[in-house]
Structures are given as structure tokens and as C-alpha cells.
């Protein structure tokens, strides 16, 4: 089939395709489209840094301006991945520095980023604009200083929940006086104090600054000065929100906030002094996003705020909001799309918290646009889950964490199978699901039957047998990420569904019953998979085949075995040269 | 604390507890095991906490052991990574650190301790041993005292509360103490103990 459109026209059409999925689909149409697409792809997303090598990426896509990489599996957020596992970005930066000298954007998630990497970024890319590090670790404020000092065109420096070795706040002063291009700065995760005057001067000379998220050390008394320098802010994160109550500070804040006509997102609020909360009332009605999840203040204070946030689309809050607060939200926040409720006291088993399943039911009833839920609570019932599913069939992301593992329906003491079953049956667009509570193999049967659009599933302390895992692997057509902990799943379902694993990004199983032997077999049979056994016991090689592994992480890859593994990680079924071992 | 001293056992304290006044300094050369256990040779320290049934104002069961000071609050046995909250969220019950100054009469400089790190008076006292390595901790009836064995000088731990009053450490439940304590002072007890 000859291509009748001139290339330039096709290229122009392709330039409107921004989603990776669309671009990938386009590249499969025919060889000439593949060629055209690869030359004009500007953004690359690599969901698993070990799935492909940087050289392969650079060879196929020579004109990339933006790279996004993810490293560790999601459960690393909860300390299930031992330190030293991997996810090092440095080898990628080395190759990218050679292959994409005009790279503008780097986004990394759950990767180990060293100061060396940051220094290499700082000096390799003359037009570097955007650095977003989410849940990364391994670097210090010295690395940030290198970025600040060298990236003349930097627009975005966004550190989201990173673990940074905080040597001092002095790094901020490395932004030169001629540096005026800053649009977004998020330093909320840093611990040490930055020079306030350096911060103030930076803000004052950044006319395009739209996002500013301060860290805890910036005192409340000084906040109004910052806001007065940047009334154009759209997204603002306060520092510690506590101070002795003083009328001059109070009125300064009231004036400063009311001057922020474009403010749409607020966060921060550590250590709240409730008396200062009303200063934000003037902007509440324009807020679309509000994160009060560090505000350790009680329901009445929280409720007073949210009741005024009529445009709110995203709310992150602690369970201090209580059912009553959620009820208020269900009546006041009709535009709500995403609700996140974190537990205030996660490790106390029998805490009495006036936040129950009822709060979630009310929000699901009252907020017609609610699509995404992350909810921690201490009791749940099948009837509540059924109500939620019927109220909100448009849910796309449903993550429920009942704090006590294997907690049954608190009313009937039955498993929560039919409740979650109802969720997957009614919410046909569901792409992400995390389950908890008492669950048998039945819930997995429901999931395998109904959850056809499910992309990511998280399971803990659930199921009875391999049948459960088999239902999921054989039934969930769209499943790409599966993470399982403490479930009685073993070898059978895994081996029976081996080919499914090549159509997924990754599978994580820890504290299950998958044996060493099964992992070896899987690794031998499936050359397109890395079957990583993560096991910190001694003398791994002498453990018999029938013994279950501590953790296994299986992912598809075209770059073969990796060579940066610590001694507690083994790639099974392949010898050291990456050839699969048939013995 | 060094790892070798984290040999906490789960045995209950022995029923017969030697009275404090009959202890001499040599008795304080202990491991962190409970009193009456055989001493493990590799795990000695010069001074350590005397494990008695302190029976302080609070009845926090975790007070019965002086475990390695950790950040995790005392509750039932914790599963790794459950519930799935990130570390940055682990302590949102209160501000996740409460540093207070600690002054010792006669010392040239002050120290700071984070009260949120400890789950009870026991752990807290262990920290004093680290900070001021010259102390042993003794308990006379319900009061806590710290002793410098070199000269027998006794120090009484006191704290300034929210009202500005100086109180004796140990009277109120631990959590109440953490809430109300603004700073700590180890006051020299003018009587020297022989």
C-alpha cells in the first residue's frame, strides 16, 4: 500500500498525537508510518527502566525532547523492596547525554538518583527545562545546587516525596541572579531551611512562577511576603502552618491570599494552628485541588473549609474529616473527581475513628463526577460497597484499605467478595483496583469475569488458592500491573498463565507460596521475562526448589538480564550471560 | 544504641525485684536484659538502665522493656508495609517531631531530644543514658533520678509545662507529658549519695 499523503502532512497529523498509546498504535500500521513516527516522537515514557535499554530507545527515537522513566515497583513505597535493589538512573543519563544533547525534560519515579547523575544532567543539556523527581532517593542538596547553578533555562524543579540527604538549604542560593525562567518549584519534601531572602528574591524575579510548594521550615509569619511577590500563583503549598496568634500576621495573610486571584490549588498545612485557617476562606470557592493531609486538626475546622470549596475537584485529607465532614463534601463539592482519605493513626489497631464506610457512601452518592478514590478506614460492609458501585458506576480508580488485614463485613461477618464483585461489575470503566478485607477466591472470579478494563490490581491477605490467581491472570484482558502480598498463591496458576506475563508490564508477589523451582522454570521457559527472586536469606543457591521465595518480581524486557543486581536478587533460569539455562 | 544491646526478651520481669537502695554501681554493669538474667559477656555497657517495675503514672505496656529506640509507635506487632502508607505519612497524629531542650545543671551546653521518638518513660530514660553517658538511672519509690556515679551526684529530671510551671518528670501518663512538656531540666539534688 503506497502512502499517498506527503510525509510532511502525516508528520503534521502525528504531531497532534500526544498519548503514548496512540503513537505506539500508529507505529504499528505500516513500515513507513513506523519510520515517520519514530523520527517525530518527542516524548518517551518507559514504565520499567529494566524493560528496555537506553541505547535501544535512542536508536529508535532520535529526536526525543522529554524522557520519563520509572524504576522500582510500586510496593517499594511501603518498604517491601530492600535497599539496593536497583533502579539506578545514572546509566540512562550517560546514554541520554550522548544521544539527546537537546533534551529538555526528565521525569523519574522511584529511581535512585545520585548527585553524580544530577551533575551530569546539569552540564549535559543546554536547553534543559523540566526536572520532576517523584519518590526518588540517593541524592543530596549538592545535586540540587548543581541543577540550580547550571540549568539556565530551567522552568520546573519538582521534588515529590523524595528522600533527599539534606546537607543545607544553601543550594537554593545557587540560582543565579540572571535566572528568571522558573515556572514551578516544589521543595515540600526537603527538611532543611532555605534562606528566606534567597527564596523571596527568586520568587520576585520569576514572573512566570505558577507553582510554588514550600517546605515545612518556611514559617507562617513570612508567607504573606511570598504571596505578595507572586500573586499570580496557581498552585501554592504552605510551610508549617503554625504560629502564635497575632492580628498583624493574620490580617497580612488574609490580604495576601485574597490577592491571589488565580490560585487553584493549596497544600502544605503542617502543624496547623486552627485559628489561622480562615485566612484561606477568600480563595476556597476557586480551589480545584486541596491537600489537607498534613493538617492535624479536627473535623469542624476541616469541614468549615471544604464546605466553601464549591469548585473542588481533588481533595486529600486525613480521617479527621470524619463521616460528618464527608457528608458536607457530598453536598458542597459537586465537582469532586478524586477523594483521598489517609489514616491519622495507621498503626493503632483499635483506634476509634469517627470515619467509617458511611462517609464514602455519602460522597459516592452526592458527587456525580467522582472517579477516583483512595480510602483508609476500619470497617466496611458488602452493602456499602454495593451502594457505592451503584451510585458511581463511573469510577475508574477504587482503592480501599481496611486497616485490619482480613477484616470481614462488620455487619454480617461475611467476606467482602460480593461487595468488590459489585464494584467490578458496575464500574465498567475501572482501570485501577486495590482491595482489602476478608476475600476468598470468589472475588477473583468476579474480577476475572467483569474487570475487563482493569489495568492495575493490588491484592493483600486475600484468596484461598491458586484458583484465585488463575481467574485474574486468565480473565483480566487489560491487566498490566499486578502486585500481590501475603496471599496463598503458588506455582500452578503462575506457570499456567506464563504467556500472560509477557503481555503485562510486571507482576510482584511477596510472602506467597511461589517456589524457587517454579521461578527457575518460568525464567527458562520465557526468555522475554526477567524472573527476579528477591530473597535476603543466606545461601540462596542451596535452598531446595520446593521452598517458597520471599519475593518475586517478574517483568517483560527486551534488554535481557540486568547486571546491577545486589546479592539478594537473582534472575532465575538464565545463566550469567543472559542465556536461558536449560539445566 | 548499639545492636548488641537490643537483646530484649519477651519474658516478664521476675517477681522478686531487688530494691533499688541495695544496688551498688557494679550491679549496673548490665546488658539490657531484665534483672535476674545471666549477663551476656559480649554485651556489657558501663551504665545502663536498671530494669525495675517502674510503675509510672501511665500504664503503657511497652514501658516494661527498654527496647532499641525506634520511630515506630508501640502497638500490636506490625506487618512490614501495612497499612500501605508512605513513611512521610506515618506520624500524622501529631506533629511528627517534638524537640525539647534538655539542660543539665552544671553542663556547659544543652541538648535536644525528640519526644515523639519514644513510646514511654522507659525508652526516654534510655536516651538520656546515650546523651549524657555518665548517668545511671535509679528509681526511688515512684521518682526517677539520674546519678553520676563518679561523684554520686543525683539529678532529678524536671520539666516546664505549658503553664510555665516546673514539674517532676514521671507523674503523668507519657502522652500527656509529651503534649505538655516545653523543656527539660536535670536539677542537681543537693544531697550526694554515698
Amino acid at each position: 500500500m503506497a502512502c499517498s499523503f506527503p510525509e510532511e502532512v502525516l508528520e503534521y497529523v502525528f504531531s497532534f498525537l500526544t498519548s503514548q498509546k496512540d503513537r505506539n498504535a500508529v507505529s504499528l500500521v505500516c513500515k513507513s508510518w513506523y519510520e515517520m513516527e519514530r523520527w517525530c516522537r518527542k516524548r518517551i515514557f518507559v514504565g520499567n527502566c529494566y524493560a528496555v535499554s537506553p541505547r535501544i530507545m535512542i536508536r529508535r527515537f532520535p529526536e526525543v525532547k522529554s524522557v520519563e522513566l520509572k524504576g522500582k515497583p510500586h510496593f517499594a513505597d511501603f518498604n517491601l523492596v530492600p535497599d539496593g535493589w536497583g533502579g539506578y538512573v545514572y546509566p540512562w543519563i550517560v546514554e541520554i547525554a550522548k544521544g539527546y544533547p537537546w533534551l529538555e525534560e526528565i521525569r523519574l519515579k522511584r529511581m535512585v538518583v545520585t548527585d553524580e547523575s544530577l551533575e551530569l544532567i546539569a552540564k549535559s543539556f543546554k536547553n534543559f527545562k523540566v526536572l520532576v523527581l517523584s519518590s526518588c532517593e540517593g541524592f543530596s542538596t549538592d545535586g540540587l545546587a548543581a541543577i540550580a547553578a547550571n540549568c539556565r533555562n530551567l522552568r520546573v524543579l519538582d521534588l515529590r516525596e523524595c528522600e533527599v540527604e539534606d546537607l543545607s538549604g544553601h543550594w537554593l542560593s545557587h540560582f543565579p541572579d540572571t535566572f528568571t525562567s522558573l515556572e514551578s518549584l516544589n521543595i515540600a519534601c526537603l527538611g532543611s531551611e532555605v534562606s528566606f531572602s534567597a527564596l523571596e528574591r527568586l520568587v520576585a524575579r520569576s514572573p512566570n512562577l505558577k507553582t510554588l510548594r514550600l517546605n515545612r521550615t518556611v514559617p507562617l509569619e513570612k508567607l504573606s511576603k511570598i504571596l505578595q511577590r507572586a500573586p499570580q500563583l496557581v498552585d501554592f503549598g504552605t510551610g508549617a502552618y503554625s504560629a502564635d496568634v497575632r492580628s498583624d500576621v493574620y490580617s497580612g495573610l488574609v490580604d495576601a491570599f485574597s490577592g491571589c486571584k488565580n490560585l487553584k490549588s493549596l497544600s502544605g498545612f503542617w502543624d496547623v494552628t486552627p485559628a489561622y485557617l480562615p485566612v484561606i476562606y477568600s480563595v476556597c470557592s476557586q480551589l480545584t485541588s486541596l491537600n489537607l493531609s498534613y493538617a492535624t486538626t479536627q473535623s469542624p475546622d476541616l469541614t468549615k473549609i471544604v464546605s466553601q470549596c464549591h469548585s473542588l475537584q481533588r481533595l486529600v485529607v486525613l480521617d479527621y474529616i470524619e463521616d460528618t465532614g464527608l457528608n458536607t463534601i457530598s453536598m458542597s463539592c459537586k465537582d469532586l473527581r478524586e477523594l483521598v482519605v489517609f489514616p491519622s493513626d495507621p498503626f493503632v489497631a483499635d483506634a476509634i475513628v469517627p470515619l467509617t464506610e458511611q462517609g464514602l457512601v455519602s460522597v459516592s452518592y452526592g458527587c456525580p463526577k467522582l472517579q477516583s478514590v483512595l480510602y483508609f478506614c476500619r470497617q466496611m460492609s458488602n452493602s456499602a460497597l454495593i451502594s457505592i458501585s451503584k451510585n458511581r458506576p463511573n469510577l475508574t480508580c477504587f482503592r480501599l484499605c481496611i486497616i485490619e488485614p482480613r477484616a470481614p463485613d462488620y455487619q454480617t461477618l461475611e467476606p467482602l467478595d460480593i461487595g468488590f464483585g459489585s464494584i467490578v461489575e458496575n464500574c465498567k470503566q475501572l482501570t485501577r483496583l486495590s482491595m482489602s478485607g476478608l476475600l476468598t477466591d470468589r472475588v477473583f472470579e468476579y474480577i476475572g469475569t467483569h474487570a475487563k478494563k482493569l489495568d492495575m490490581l493490588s491484592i493483600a491477605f486475600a484468596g484461598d488458592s491458586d484458583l484465585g490467581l488463575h481467574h485474574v491472570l486468565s480473565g483480566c484482558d487489560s491487566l498490566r500491573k499486578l502486585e500481590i502480598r501475603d496471599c496463598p498463591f503458588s506455582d500452578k496458576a503462575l506457570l499456567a498463565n506464563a504467556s500472560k506475563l509477557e503481555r503485562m508490564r510486571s507482576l510482584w508477589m511477596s510472602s506467597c507460596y511461589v517456589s524457587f523451582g517454579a521461578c527457575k522454570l518460568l525464567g527458562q521457559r520465557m526468555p522475554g521475562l526477567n524472573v527476579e527472586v528477591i530473597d535476603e536469606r543466606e545461601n540462596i543457591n542451596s535452598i531446595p526448589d520446593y521452598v517458597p521465595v520471599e519475593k518475586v518480581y517478574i517483568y517483560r524486557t527486551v534488554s535481557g538480564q540486568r547486571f546491577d543486581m545486589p546479592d539478594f536478587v537473582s534472575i532465575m533460569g538464565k545463566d550469567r550471560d543472559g542465556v536461558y539455562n536449560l539445566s | 544504641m548499639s545492636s548488641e544491646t537490643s537483646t530484649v526478651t519477651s519474658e516478664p520481669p521476675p517477681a522478686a525485684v531487688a530494691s533499688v537502695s541495695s544496688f551498688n554501681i557494679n550491679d549496673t554493669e548490665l546488658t539490657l536484659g531484665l534483672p535476674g538474667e545471666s549477663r551476656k559477656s559480649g554485651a556489657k555497657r558501663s551504665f545502663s538502665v536498671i530494669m525495675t517495675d517502674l510503675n509510672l503514672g501511665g500504664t503503657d505496656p511497652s514501658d516494661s522493656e527498654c527496647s532499641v529506640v525506634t520511630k515506630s509507635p508501640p502497638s500490636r506487632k506490625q506487618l512490614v508495609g501495612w497499612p500501605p502508607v508512605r513513611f512521610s505519612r506515618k506520624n500524622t497524629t501529631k506533629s511528627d517531631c517534638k524537640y525539647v531542650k534538655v539542660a543539665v545543671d552544671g553542663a556547659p551546653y544543652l541538648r535536644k531530644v525528640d519526644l515523639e521518638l519514644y513510646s514511654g518513660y522507659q525508652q526516654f530514660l534510655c536516651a538520656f543514658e546515650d546523651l549524657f553517658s555518665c548517668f545511671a538511672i535509679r528509681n526511688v519509690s515512684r521518682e526517677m533520678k539520674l546519678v553520676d556515679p563518679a561523684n554520686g551526684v543525683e539529678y532529678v529530671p524536671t520539666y516546664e509545662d505549658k503553664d510555665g510551671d516546673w514539674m517532676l518528670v514521671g507523674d503523668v501518663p507519657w502522652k500527656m507529658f509529651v503534649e505538655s512538656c516545653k523543656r527539660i531540666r536535670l536539677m542537681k539534688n543537693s544531697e550526694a549519695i554515698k
Side-chain angles (χ1 to χ4, degrees):
Chain A
M1 184 212 79
C3 208
S4 48
F5 275 179
E7 271 184 26
E8 298 79 27
V9 176
L10 268 179
E11 225 182 273
Y12 181 67
V13 172
F14 290 172
S15 69
F16 290 96
L17 298 174
T18 47
S19 104
Q20 298 288 308
K21 265 192 181 164
D22 289 342
R23 286 216 158 236
N24 292 343
V26 150
S27 66
L28 292 174
V29 166
C30 63
K31 276 191 183 155
S32 59
W33 279 36
Y34 175 94
E35 274 303 307
M36 239 177 297
E37 194 283 320
R38 79 179 188 94
W39 278 99
C40 67
R41 188 167 321 197
K42 298 280 181 279
R43 320 180 68 97
I44 288 282
F45 168 74
V46 177
N48 174 4
C49 63
Y50 291 119
V52 65
S53 76
R55 287 202 189 158
I56 293 176
M57 175 183 80
I58 294 167
R59 198 175 62 207
R60 178 174 169 188
F61 300 108
E63 299 287 318
V64 162
K65 293 277 186 291
S66 157
V67 173
E68 183 175 348
L69 298 176
K70 292 189 178 180
K72 299 184 199 179
H74 174 237
F75 274 177
D77 286 355
F78 317 123
N79 299 326
L80 288 177
V81 177
D83 279 342
W85 170 82
Y88 306 105
V89 81
Y90 188 74
W92 282 83
I93 305 296
V94 166
E95 296 299 327
I96 290 172
K98 288 186 267 183
Y100 300 143
W102 295 105
L103 190 77
E104 296 177 2
E105 305 182 359
I106 293 177
R107 293 176 170 81
L108 305 175
K109 187 165 186 179
R110 289 194 204 96
M111 294 199 78
V112 178
V113 180
T114 54
D115 284 346
E116 216 184 355
S117 310
L118 291 174
E119 282 152 20
L120 190 53
I121 291 173
K123 66 176 195 231
S124 306
F125 307 112
K126 300 295 169 224
N127 206 20
F128 195 67
K129 295 186 177 143
V130 172
L131 183 63
V132 179
L133 303 177
S134 295
S135 307
C136 294
E137 49 158 356
F139 61 102
S140 78
T141 43
D142 285 352
L144 297 177
I147 297 283
N150 294 298
C151 301
R152 301 289 160 87
N153 297 310
L154 194 71
R155 298 201 186 148
V156 174
L157 179 60
D158 188 349
L159 307 175
R160 301 178 189 173
E161 297 184 284
C162 293
E163 276 180 42
V164 183
E165 194 190 342
D166 221 321
L167 301 171
S168 87
H170 191 61
W171 67 273
L172 192 81
S173 312
H174 284 255
F175 283 114
D177 291 335
T178 49
F179 172 69
T180 57
S181 52
L182 198 62
E183 294 176 11
S184 171
L185 180 66
N186 175 5
I187 56 169
C189 62
L190 296 183
S192 65
E193 203 175 329
V194 296
S195 148
F196 186 78
S197 56
L199 177 67
E200 207 186 341
R201 285 195 309 273
L202 178 62
V203 171
R205 66 177 186 276
S206 304
N208 297 323
L209 193 67
K210 297 281 186 299
T211 297
L212 180 63
R213 295 192 180 188
L214 303 172
N215 73 349
R216 207 165 175 166
T217 64
V218 178
L220 186 59
E221 296 93 333
K222 294 196 174 156
L223 226 58
S224 45
K225 267 200 201 169
I226 294 280
L227 285 175
Q228 273 151 15
R229 295 276 189 191
Q232 77 282 6
L233 282 177
V234 174
D235 181 328
F236 182 61
T238 73
Y241 206 78
S242 63
D244 294 331
V245 182
R246 279 168 38 195
S247 56
D248 55 331
V249 174
Y250 186 94
S251 50
L253 284 167
V254 169
D255 290 341
F257 272 106
S258 49
C260 295
K261 304 292 183 202
N262 298 325
L263 199 58
K264 291 227 167 9
S265 168
L266 272 182
S267 57
F269 298 106
W270 288 280
D271 314 321
V272 161
T273 300
Y276 277 111
L277 286 173
V279 308
I280 65 169
Y281 285 175
S282 61
V283 295
C284 280
S285 60
Q286 61 198 57
L287 291 179
T288 55
S289 170
L290 181 59
N291 187 334
L292 291 168
S293 62
Y294 291 102
T296 53
T297 184
Q298 300 303 315
S299 179
D301 299 314
L302 297 171
T303 304
K304 261 202 220 116
I305 298 173
V306 294
S307 63
Q308 301 178 60
C309 296
H310 302 295
S311 313
L312 204 61
Q313 295 179 15
R314 178 171 192 263
L315 176 66
V316 187
V317 74
L318 288 171
D319 56 14
Y320 289 138
I321 189 88
E322 298 180 14
D323 285 342
T324 51
L326 290 173
N327 198 37
T328 302
I329 288 164
S330 74
M331 295 187 292
S332 309
C333 308
K334 292 301 190 185
D335 215 13
L336 196 70
R337 321 272 164 110
E338 183 180 354
L339 175 69
V340 175
V341 179
F342 283 120
S344 52
D345 227 339
F347 300 106
V348 177
D350 47 8
I352 312 280
V353 174
L355 178 126
T356 67
E357 81 284 6
Q358 281 315 307
L360 185 56
V361 173
S362 357
V363 176
S364 73
Y365 179 73
C367 300
K369 297 197 188 157
L370 187 70
Q371 287 180 298
S372 173
V373 170
L374 170 55
Y375 199 77
F376 284 80
C377 62
R378 289 161 189 279
Q379 66 185 43
M380 187 48 63
S381 65
N382 283 311
S383 70
L385 285 168
I386 293 169
S387 300
I388 291 164
S389 72
K390 292 195 168 144
N391 290 339
R392 287 284 60 80
N394 50 325
L395 283 174
T396 53
C397 169
F398 188 72
R399 297 158 70 189
L400 179 69
C401 180
I402 306 162
I403 303 249
E404 183 66 30
R406 302 193 187 90
D409 178 324
Y410 77 100
Q411 291 171 332
T412 65
L413 298 184
E414 307 235 306
L416 291 170
D417 298 337
I418 51 171
F420 279 104
S422 185
I423 293 277
V424 292
E425 198 177 348
N426 290 326
C427 305
K428 300 195 188 339
Q429 303 305 315
L430 199 69
T431 52
R432 186 165 180 189
L433 178 65
S434 299
M435 304 192 294
S436 54
L438 183 63
L439 296 164
T440 73
D441 283 347
R442 270 187 84 190
V443 75
F444 298 113
E445 197 182 338
Y446 296 140
I447 290 173
T449 307
H450 295 289
K452 295 303 182 187
K453 298 258 175 85
L454 198 64
D455 171 280
M456 183 171 180
L457 178 62
S458 310
I459 310 170
F461 307 103
D464 309 310
S465 74
D466 268 320
L467 202 51
L469 181 58
H470 177 68
H471 283 308
V472 170
L473 289 176
S474 57
C476 296
D477 301 331
S478 311
L479 194 66
R480 287 184 320 118
K481 289 173 278 181
L482 180 57
E483 48 185 22
I484 301 172
R485 64 162 294 174
D486 293 276
C487 296
F489 301 145
S490 66
D491 304 340
K492 278 189 290 219
L494 199 60
L495 293 172
N497 290 283
S499 57
K500 169 72 172 178
L501 300 175
E502 269 185 341
R503 298 193 298 278
M504 291 169 56
R505 182 188 297 172
S506 65
L507 166 62
W508 169 279
M509 293 178 75
S510 56
S511 307
C512 298
Y513 300 145
V514 178
S515 69
F516 276 93
C519 293
K520 281 183 202 164
L521 198 56
L522 192 62
Q524 286 164 12
R525 273 198 210 156
M526 310 294 293
L529 296 178
N530 276 354
V531 179
E532 284 193 16
V533 166
I534 300 166
D535 200 309
E536 291 174 285
R537 286 176 286 198
E538 289 178 8
N539 301 320
I540 282 282
N541 295 320
S542 55
I543 296 184
D545 276 358
Y546 62 82
V547 173
V549 302
E550 282 180 354
K551 303 169 187 184
V552 61
Y553 180 49
I554 303 167
Y555 54 88
R556 66 179 172 191
T557 179
V558 296
S559 69
Q561 217 193 137
R562 63 176 175 118
F563 298 101
D564 60 355
M565 302 177 297
D567 54 13
F568 55 82
V569 176
S570 327
I571 296 196
M572 307 300 279
K574 297 173 173 51
D575 66 25
R576 253 183 262 112
D577 299 328
V579 176
Y580 52 97
N581 184 353
L582 291 172
S583 62
Chain B
M1 294 189 172
S2 57
S3 56
E4 69 215 11
T5 56
S6 63
T7 50
V8 181
T9 65
S10 53
E11 295 159 7
V17 174
S19 73
V20 172
S21 57
S22 69
F23 280 160
N24 60 34
I25 293 305
N26 288 333
D27 276 353
T28 68
E29 295 194 17
L30 296 169
T31 67
L32 274 185
L34 297 166
E37 284 182 273
S38 60
R39 310 298 173 215
K40 298 186 177 88
S41 58
K44 285 191 181 172
R45 302 172 67 209
S46 308
F47 304 104
S48 66
V49 176
I50 296 168
M51 305 303 260
T52 60
D53 189 4
L54 276 177
N55 207 20
L56 301 167
T59 48
D60 193 338
S62 71
D63 269 354
S64 63
E65 300 166 314
C66 186
S67 53
V68 174
V69 172
T70 63
K71 267 193 195 285
S72 43
S75 60
R76 62 177 171 80
K77 180 173 181 296
Q78 285 175 40
L79 294 156
V80 176
W82 191 267
V85 288
R86 305 201 51 190
F87 181 75
S88 56
R89 300 209 160 274
K90 276 189 179 175
N91 291 302
T92 42
T93 41
K94 306 176 171 48
S95 55
D96 67 357
C97 66
K98 192 189 166 154
Y99 276 98
V100 295
K101 291 184 189 174
V102 181
V104 181
D105 282 359
Y109 53 85
L110 281 63
R111 300 299 300 266
K112 263 198 164 166
V113 286
D114 179 355
L115 294 179
E116 289 291 338
L117 287 180
Y118 315 109
S119 54
Y121 285 109
Q122 280 281 32
Q123 281 185 4
F124 178 57
L125 294 183
C126 292
F128 272 119
E129 286 203 310
D130 273 347
L131 277 186
F132 306 103
S133 51
C134 52
F135 288 137
I137 296 167
R138 298 169 53 161
N139 301 279
V140 179
S141 64
R142 287 174 65 91
E143 296 171 9
M144 279 183 286
K145 291 197 174 106
L146 292 95
V147 178
D148 184 347
N151 51 26
V153 176
E154 259 190 355
Y155 295 84
V156 177
T158 63
Y159 69 101
E160 185 184 18
D161 73 358
K162 280 184 173 162
D163 301 323
D165 298 318
W166 284 93
M167 318 285 294
L168 187 67
V169 170
D171 284 335
V172 299
W174 172 254
K175 287 212 181 248
M176 202 183 287
F177 166 70
V178 172
E179 272 283 272
S180 52
C181 173
K182 279 171 59 180
R183 56 193 159 126
I184 294 168
R185 180 177 157 206
L186 302 184
M187 282 188 192
K188 216 181 262 194
N189 198 333
S190 48
E191 295 171 281
I193 305 252
K194 299 234 172 0

